[in-house]
Every structure is written in C-alpha cells, then in structure tokens.
Amino acid sequence: MIVLEVENFINGKFVPTESHIDSYEPSTGEVWASIPDSGEKEVELAVASAKAAFKGWSATPREERSRLINKVADLLEKDLEKFAEMESRDQGKLLRLARLIDIPRAIYNLRFFASAILHDLNSSTVLEKAGAINYTIKHPVGVAGLISPWNLPLYLLTFKLAPAIAAGNTVVAKPSEMTSVTAYKLCELFNEAGFPPGVVNMVFGFGHKAGEALVSHADVPLISFTGGTVTAEKVRMSASKHCKKLSLELGGKNAAVVFKDAELDKCISQCIKSSFMNQGEICLCTSRIFVQRQLFPHFLELFVQATRKLTVGNPYDDTAIIGALISKQHLNKVKGYVKMAEKEEADVLCGDMSDGLNLTDEKKNGYFMRPTVITNVRDESRLMTEEIFGPVVCVVPFDDEDEVIERVNKVKYGLCATVWTQDVSRLHRVSHQLQVGTVWANCWLVRDLNLPFGGVKESGVGREGLKDSIDFYTEEKTICLQL
Ligand code: NDP
C-alpha cells in the first residue's frame, strides 16, 4: 500500500522531519500515512514563523483577511469529496458522515468567522460630567496555539483556526497524530488561496512532545485546546507559567432524560443517533439514558431492537451505520468497559459479541465493534461516571424529576444533556437545573454557531461561538479620551 507522507507546514513551506509516526487506517488496521514526529525544534521554527508574520497579518484590513479565508472555504468546497474520503480513511468514520457533516461544517466554520469579523463588536460610552468618551477596541492576541483531537479532525480544527486568523492572530496548530491528513492537505489550500507565509503553521506529532512544546512556549500567549480532561490538566499546568489565555473544551458523560410523556418514536431515533453517531466518538454523544420507570421496559425493548439493526461495516459502504473506532488501543479500552459490565453483573443486552460482523476480508483487521446497550448498572459504576467515548450506552430507570436531576448532576462532567418530554414547563425547569453547558430539549446536536458552546465542571473552561470565539482570540482595550 502507498503510504502518504505528511510534512510540517512552516512559513508557507512543507518541511520534512527526520523521524516519523505510523498512522493506521482504522477500518483495515494498516499503516496508511507517515506523520512527522515533531518536537521542540520544529515547534520553535513554527512559532518563530508565526511571530514574524503577526505584525503584517494583524495590520491586514479585516476585509482582506475575510476574503482570503473565504477563498480557502471555496477551495475546500471544490475538494469536498476528496477531503471527505481522506477524513473517513484517517478516522474510521462513515464516508457519508464526513461528506454530510465534517467537511461541510469545516467550510461553514471558515465562512462563518470570515463574515463575523466584518461586524463591529466594539462599544462606547460618553461620560458627560467628566467630558470624556470611553470606547473599546479589540486587538488580536499574537501567536495562537491550537490543539485538536482525533474524533472530528477538520471540523474541530477549523472551529479554532477560522476565528483565530479572522481576528488577526497567526497560528501554530497541532492536530492529533492519529488524524493529521486533512489538516496537512488544508495547508495546500492556504497557499493556493494566497495566504502570506507564516500566518498558518502546522506542526504534526505527539501531544506529549510537539503539543507540550507548543503549550509551554513563551511566545505563544494563547492556547485553545480540545481533548480529554486528563490531558487538559497537563495543558493547564504548562500554560500557567506564562499566564496564557486558555480555552478548554473537554470530555463529557452526557445524559438523556426521558420522561414518560416523551414523543417515543422521535426520542428513540434521536437517542440512537446521539448514542452511536460516529461510533459514539463525539464529545456530545449520550452515554447515560435515564428513562422514567413507567416507560422504561417499553423504551428499553424498542431501543435495543433499534440498536440491533445498526449495521457495522466498511465506512465507504452506504448501508453501514457504524464505522471503525479510531485505534486498536481505543477499541480495547471501550471493550474493557463492556467486560467491566459483565464483571459487575450488569446486563449487556446487545452489542460487543464476536459473531459475524459481516466484513470483507480486507476489513477483518479493522477496529470494529457492535453498538452496545447495558442496563442494570449502578450510578456509582465507572460505566456511569467515566467517559467511554465509544458505541456503548447505559440505560437505567428513574422515578421522579428531582431524583433524576440529582443523578444526572452527580458526575464530574457537565458538557450537554438532552431532555425528552412534551411538558414545556418541565423542560424549562429541568433545563435550568442540569449542570451542563448545553441542553437539547426534544432534539440532539442542533447547533447554531452564533451561540456559546462549552462545558461546565470538568468538561471545560470558556465558550466557543460567535461572540465568545472573537472575544477569546482578541484582547479588549478600553480607551478613555477626555475632550
Ligand atoms: P487527548 O486529550 O488525548 O488529545 C487531544 C490533543 O491534545 C491531541 O492533539 C493530543 O495529541 C494533544 N496532547 C496530548 N498530550 C498533550 C500535552 N501534554 N500537551 C499538549 N497537547 C497534548 O484527546 P483525544 O484526542 O483522545 O480526544 C478525545 C477527547 O476529546 C475526549 O475526551 C472528548 O470528549 C474530547 N473532546 C471534547 C470536545 C468538546 O468540544 N468538549 C470535542 C471533541 C472531543 P496526541 O493525539 O498526540 O496525544
């Protein structure tokens, strides 16, 4: 098999490195890309390049910045199919999903922030008694360090990159070494669009080496990190040395709360999606479903029936609903939770069984598992408290509103939740009391980039979205002029 050689992108040029990391195709288990194993030296060069480009880029009129970002979006749209295929191959996600969600959303991220930056978010006041005018201006911060995970590679990278450069920062990005290919290919589009060298730099490699060097670099005053809560602790420590601006979008243990009056068909189909989309490898996936006791047996029966129908298979196959997990190590971790359920004598109702996944021979070594439903599990179990980040969901009963709110809130995470009832007052009451950053009432994953997104508790610090991202990637200065 031909192995794709990924190179770092520094100062507008592709730069080879001495050592490399193998990147595996999740659906075959074979090496398909070779990723630079960057360290301090490469990060140093990339930061120096971004620092040198900052003066020119931050002084570039925002209309021009916006035009160039839109150009990249246009080029990406032209190559949508190619990027979707690479994303699917690199991550194991369904090609259909990459085509419908990941790449279109990356294009939208670019266009959204290219447009947002044209609108003025400054404010002013007149102090008549003092004979003075106050006003605020926003400055770009400098070199932004962007660290993104493997589950939605280009989607999440562009969610950081677009506002950062739109606001006039230059960037050094470090995508996950497991999914670096679309980020690498995006660099070609920055050159093709005519971006000045050094505005966008990408350094590929391991988090503990390249990521750590970037986070702790004295010339990088801002870090935007999306990833796991444990990694975030290290990032926080390293970033604290220089009092960096820090945004942390982290893990979750998201709950669905299903009341007995829920519109059942819609609720089941959406809970199936929210539990298993992208193999459950979305930070917003549901992994605990609380169902009011009167509805519990019926819900569980229908939910398990629907789960059994989900076809696991080749990400390129139009009939597959579940693709491959990101890596062998992650697959084993997720399967470990199913073993834990068996040890704890919880009931594994369907899922991770080795019988016929019906895969073609070339896919037999891929990282596949069946979507798994577990019940009869205690709230204190690690199955109910830890982020599994795979196609595994626990379904448990509850009796009343106060009880379920307390149980949902008991975990250390607080990213999102869904609530299912036709009682609007209840939706309102429950939504207010859940300790999460986003509540979806009678829906899931209906996102509006205009609104803040982020988590509470150990699910993160800060918000991303129209105003929040622009605020984060700028420093606001108040100027008082006495006339
Ligand atoms: P990790 O925390 O393992 O890694 C995230 C990124 O950080 C990767 O690029 C990683 O590189 C890098 N990294 C690792 N160690 C360090 C370090 N010491 N310093 C700097 N960077 C480092 O997360 P995953 O990639 O496994 O992603 C899954 C996690 O991301 C889940 O917990 C999920 O919930 C969360 N997530 C949160 C989202 C949100 O918006 N709240 C959205 C999507 C995912 P490397 O890959 O080389 O280790």
Side-chain angles (χ1 to χ4, degrees):
M1 190 201 286
I2 298 168
V3 172
L4 187 105
E5 298 273 342
V6 171
E7 293 179 322
N8 286 333
F9 183 64
I10 299 174
N11 206 27
K13 295 204 168 58
F14 290 98
V15 187
T17 39
E18 280 154 20
S19 51
H20 294 90
I21 305 163
D22 286 338
S23 180
Y24 295 84
E25 181 176 353
S27 67
T28 62
E30 286 180 18
V31 175
W32 90 287
S34 165
I35 310 299
D37 179 10
S38 311
E40 275 180 29
K41 190 176 91 189
E42 290 78 11
V43 169
E44 195 57 55
L45 287 173
V47 172
S49 143
K51 200 174 166 193
F54 179 68
K55 196 168 171 202
W57 182 246
S58 57
T60 301
R62 54 188 169 174
E63 290 78 8
E64 175 63 3
R65 297 200 302 258
S66 172
R67 187 187 70 77
L68 285 170
I69 297 169
N70 273 319
K71 185 88 194 286
V72 176
D74 293 345
L75 292 169
L76 184 55
E77 192 166 44
K78 209 171 90 198
D79 279 351
L80 192 151
E81 189 58 26
K82 196 170 91 191
F83 272 82
E85 278 169 22
M86 289 187 290
E87 201 72 308
S88 167
R89 219 169 152 192
D90 211 17
Q91 208 274 335
K93 66 177 67 239
L94 299 181
L95 174 59
R96 202 170 57 244
L97 204 68
R99 199 184 269 148
L100 286 177
I101 297 184
D102 290 69
I103 309 304
R105 170 59 192 267
I107 296 164
Y108 183 64
N109 283 339
L110 292 161
R111 291 203 174 124
F112 182 90
F113 287 105
S115 155
I117 202 62
L118 300 177
H119 306 282
D120 223 323
L121 300 174
N122 294 330
S123 55
S124 64
T125 58
V126 179
L127 299 178
E128 281 179 8
K129 267 194 194 160
I133 299 172
N134 278 313
Y135 64 96
T136 61
I137 51 166
K138 287 177 187 288
H139 289 286
V141 183
V143 178
L146 312 180
I147 301 199
S148 49
W150 49 257
N151 62 330
L152 302 168
L154 203 64
Y155 174 136
L156 290 173
L157 173 66
T158 50
F159 192 22
K160 299 178 184 306
L161 188 73
I165 57 176
N169 302 281
T170 53
V171 310
V172 178
K174 206 299 284 175
S176 168
E177 94 286 350
M178 283 184 277
T179 53
S180 296
V181 170
T182 48
Y184 163 65
K185 287 287 174 189
L186 188 71
C187 299
E188 291 173 2
L189 305 190
F190 280 103
N191 274 351
E192 200 180 331
F195 261 73
V199 173
V200 174
N201 304 273
M202 298 251 191
V203 174
F204 300 100
F206 288 118
H208 63 268
K209 263 173 92 178
E212 168 62 27
L214 180 59
V215 170
S216 53
H217 200 292
D219 289 336
V220 179
L222 172 153
I223 297 292
S224 176
F225 171 86
T226 298
T229 299
V230 174
T231 318
E233 269 175 43
K234 291 185 201 144
V235 167
R236 209 172 185 159
M237 297 286 281
S238 305
S240 68
K241 262 182 253 155
H242 301 285
C243 273
K244 296 181 185 219
K245 266 190 122 172
L246 194 56
S247 156
L248 301 172
E249 296 287 359
L250 311 177
K253 188 70 188 170
N254 311 312
V257 181
V258 182
F259 287 94
K260 62 177 190 247
D261 65 338
E263 196 191 322
L264 200 56
D265 289 349
K266 181 177 175 198
C267 172
I268 299 263
S269 73
Q270 289 297 308
C271 285
I272 288 282
K273 261 194 186 168
S274 73
S275 304
F276 302 123
M277 188 189 266
N278 206 43
Q279 301 72 249
E281 294 170 332
I282 302 181
C283 55
L284 303 167
C285 275
T286 302
S287 67
R288 299 177 290 160
I289 305 182
F290 294 87
V291 186
Q292 204 159 20
R293 199 171 298 275
Q294 296 87 331
L295 183 65
F296 181 72
H298 189 44
F299 177 96
L300 195 59
E301 190 190 335
L302 295 181
F303 189 78
V304 170
Q305 261 172 29
T307 305
R308 286 206 172 106
K309 287 190 190 139
L310 302 175
T311 322
V312 180
N314 185 341
Y316 299 110
D317 185 342
D318 276 348
T319 60
I321 306 286
I322 311 275
L325 274 73
I326 182 69
S327 66
K328 192 163 200 163
Q329 194 192 14
H330 188 59
L331 177 72
N332 289 339
K333 179 186 147 192
V334 176
K335 286 188 167 185
Y337 281 98
V338 183
K339 285 199 189 107
M340 183 189 297
E342 283 160 357
K343 260 198 201 143
E344 290 182 7
E345 297 181 355
D347 298 326
V348 181
L349 300 180
C350 64
D352 183 32
M353 291 168 267
S354 51
D355 58 317
L357 274 180
N358 207 18
L359 300 164
T360 55
D361 279 346
E362 55 159 5
K363 303 283 166 198
K364 286 265 158 55
N365 294 323
Y367 316 133
F368 295 94
M369 76 177 274
R370 286 179 185 281
T372 303
V373 180
I374 300 172
T375 190
N376 190 20
V377 51
R378 292 167 303 112
D379 284 3
E380 296 69 32
S381 163
R382 287 171 55 203
L383 289 152
M384 289 285 281
T385 56
E386 294 182 2
E387 186 183 44
I388 300 176
F389 218 53
V392 176
V393 67
C394 297
V395 187
V396 292
F398 74 91
D399 290 300
D400 68 52
E401 192 177 308
D402 289 344
E403 171 212 328
V404 76
I405 290 167
E406 197 193 318
R407 289 171 66 192
V408 169
N409 287 343
K410 225 160 37 182
V411 296
K412 65 180 185 179
Y413 294 107
L415 194 55
C416 72
T418 60
V419 183
W420 300 90
T421 168
Q422 297 183 52
D423 178 343
V424 176
S425 311
R426 173 171 268 163
L427 280 178
H428 176 75
R429 268 194 321 269
V430 175
S431 303
H432 276 240
Q433 291 179 78
L434 292 177
Q435 294 166 354
V436 292
T438 301
V439 177
W440 278 293
N442 296 326
C443 59
W444 178 69
L445 211 60
V446 181
R447 283 272 294 121
D448 180 353
L449 255 187
N450 284 291
L451 297 182
F453 169 77
V456 303
K457 302 198 282 189
E458 293 191 25
S459 286
V461 177
R463 294 288 179 269
E464 293 182 290
L466 169 64
K467 181 175 176 305
D468 300 272
S469 293
I470 300 295
D471 283 350
F472 178 68
Y473 291 105
T474 53
E475 289 288 12
E476 195 160 31
K477 186 186 288 174
T478 304
I479 299 175
C480 178
L481 297 182
Q482 193 152 45
L483 304 171

